[in-house]
Amino acid sequence: IMKFNTKMILPIFIIGIMLFSGVGFLYTSNTDNENNTDLVENNANNFETIEFGGRTFVKTDGSFRYKNIDLEFSPEELYKVDVDIGNLKFDGKIYLSVNESVPATISKLPFAGDIVGASYDDTTSKRFNIPFKDCIDANETKIIKLINKGNESKDKITQEGNCYILEGNLDLVIERFLLEVLE
């Protein structure tokens, strides 16, 4: 039989605390998961879904979600963009050819990490030391050419071979292009 030793009080106390905290943690994490599941289901039911253009959008607070990507523009606005493209397989090097600046919306594209900056304007190309790329250069590589015309022209997306031309309000046409890429 083991004698009770006062030196064993502290280790037994620490082991007891560890055991009880582990049991308490397991109990509370299971309860939290059940509550979180209920919250997600309730939130999904509270958000309005919109069927538009054969796609299902979820209207969230201030934006629309499609395939887990938040969109600034409504489906109605996005479908006003004229789209005439095909062959949307993006692999390898993709040039993003711009005149001046790149809208932050471009980061929503699933292949944004493969994009190489370029310009279809020789002055901009030299000033920022980036390659000069225009649609004529789109042979083995793909080029996405952004032409910012704001509200002065019709928003449209067209294709010339491996060159995709996004023209008009760039934030809007990039989000519309994103819908095509995600299909």
Side-chain angles (χ1 to χ4, degrees):
I1 293 181
M2 194 167 92
K3 270 184 149 181
F4 185 72
N5 188 344
T6 56
K7 289 181 181 177
M8 292 178 55
I9 292 175
L10 185 59
I12 290 173
F13 179 72
I14 291 174
I15 291 171
I17 288 176
M18 291 174 66
L19 285 172
F20 286 119
S21 65
V23 169
F25 176 76
L26 288 174
Y27 176 75
T28 57
S29 67
N30 285 341
T31 304
D32 287 347
N33 285 341
E34 291 169 9
N35 289 341
N36 287 341
T37 303
D38 292 343
L39 285 174
V40 169
E41 288 173 4
N42 287 338
N43 284 340
N45 292 335
N46 289 340
F47 288 125
E48 177 184 355
T49 58
I50 299 170
E51 294 286 331
F52 204 92
R55 296 177 170 104
T56 302
F57 297 85
V58 177
K59 186 175 182 184
T60 61
D61 297 328
S63 67
F64 296 85
R65 181 169 291 151
Y66 179 70
K67 292 194 176 183
N68 292 327
I69 296 180
D70 289 325
L71 304 170
E72 177 183 337
F73 296 94
S74 71
E76 293 86 2
E77 292 171 298
L78 293 170
Y79 276 86
K80 288 181 182 175
V81 175
D82 287 340
V83 179
D84 185 18
I85 57 175
N87 185 23
L88 288 169
K89 185 175 181 183
F90 289 94
D91 52 356
K93 191 180 283 188
I94 304 158
Y95 287 98
L96 179 67
S97 189
V98 298
N99 187 11
E100 276 293 327
S101 62
V102 178
T105 316
I106 206 72
S107 65
K108 292 181 181 180
L109 292 172
F111 50 82
D114 296 329
I115 291 177
V116 177
S119 179
Y120 57 87
D121 176 60
D122 193 43
T123 306
T124 302
S125 174
K126 289 177 182 172
R127 188 167 93 204
F128 293 106
N129 195 25
I130 56 177
F132 177 82
K133 295 287 180 182
D134 207 341
C135 287
I136 199 165
D137 302 310
N139 296 322
E140 291 83 40
T141 60
K142 303 232 180 194
I143 294 177
I144 300 172
K145 182 177 179 179
L146 301 180
I147 303 172
N148 186 359
K149 291 194 174 178
N151 295 328
E152 66 186 60
S153 73
K154 179 78 176 132
D155 299 313
K156 61 184 177 179
I157 302 171
T158 56
Q159 180 178 358
E160 294 176 11
N162 282 335
C163 184
Y164 302 88
I165 304 161
L166 284 61
E167 189 174 346
N169 174 349
L170 291 183
D171 289 324
L172 175 66
V173 293
I174 289 170
E175 283 194 357
R176 181 62 173 101
F177 186 63
L178 175 65
L179 289 182
E180 297 302 317
V181 170
L182 290 175
E183 284 305 307

